[in-house]
Amino acid sequence: ADAPGRAAPVPPGIEGLTAREREVLDEMARGRSNDEIAAALSISPKTVRNVVSVLFDKLAVHTRAEAIVKAREAGFGGS
């Protein structure tokens, strides 16, 4: 049985993410740009680009839109 409050199973790749990757993914799911994410998390834009690249690999996606879909399915990007 699913855990209480969980609407859907976690998409593949989400469980293995680091805390930083989860932070960046959450910001992506909120529609923020890399520069906005960098400012929000007090990290460099280059670091954000690197994390986004790793996220694409871990989530097995090729576009930001695909990553955002998976993130939102997993509950990221909420208020």
Side-chain angles (χ1 to χ4, degrees), residues 11-36:
I14 297 288
E15 290 170 348
L17 299 182
T18 67
R20 174 64 78 203
E21 290 163 353
R22 287 172 177 267
E23 288 176 325
V24 171
L25 187 59
D26 189 60
E27 295 295 327
M28 283 175 58
R30 293 170 189 268
R32 296 198 169 104
S33 70
N34 285 1
D35 287 343
E36 290 169 332

Side-chain angles (χ1 to χ4, degrees), residues 5-77:
R6 177 167 280 167
V10 177
I14 297 288
E15 290 170 348
L17 299 182
T18 67
R20 174 64 78 203
E21 290 163 353
R22 287 172 177 267
E23 288 176 325
V24 171
L25 187 59
D26 189 60
E27 295 295 327
M28 283 175 58
R30 293 170 189 268
R32 296 198 169 104
S33 70
N34 285 1
D35 287 343
E36 290 169 332
I37 294 169
L41 300 181
S42 300
I43 57 178
S44 78
K46 182 168 177 22
T47 299
V48 175
R49 285 193 304 272
N50 291 340
V51 171
V52 169
S53 179
V54 170
L55 283 169
F56 281 19
D57 287 342
K58 286 189 174 183
L59 298 176
V61 297
H62 300 288
T63 68
R64 193 175 188 96
E66 289 175 306
I68 290 170
V69 167
K70 283 198 175 185
R72 290 183 177 162
E73 286 173 354
F76 288 86

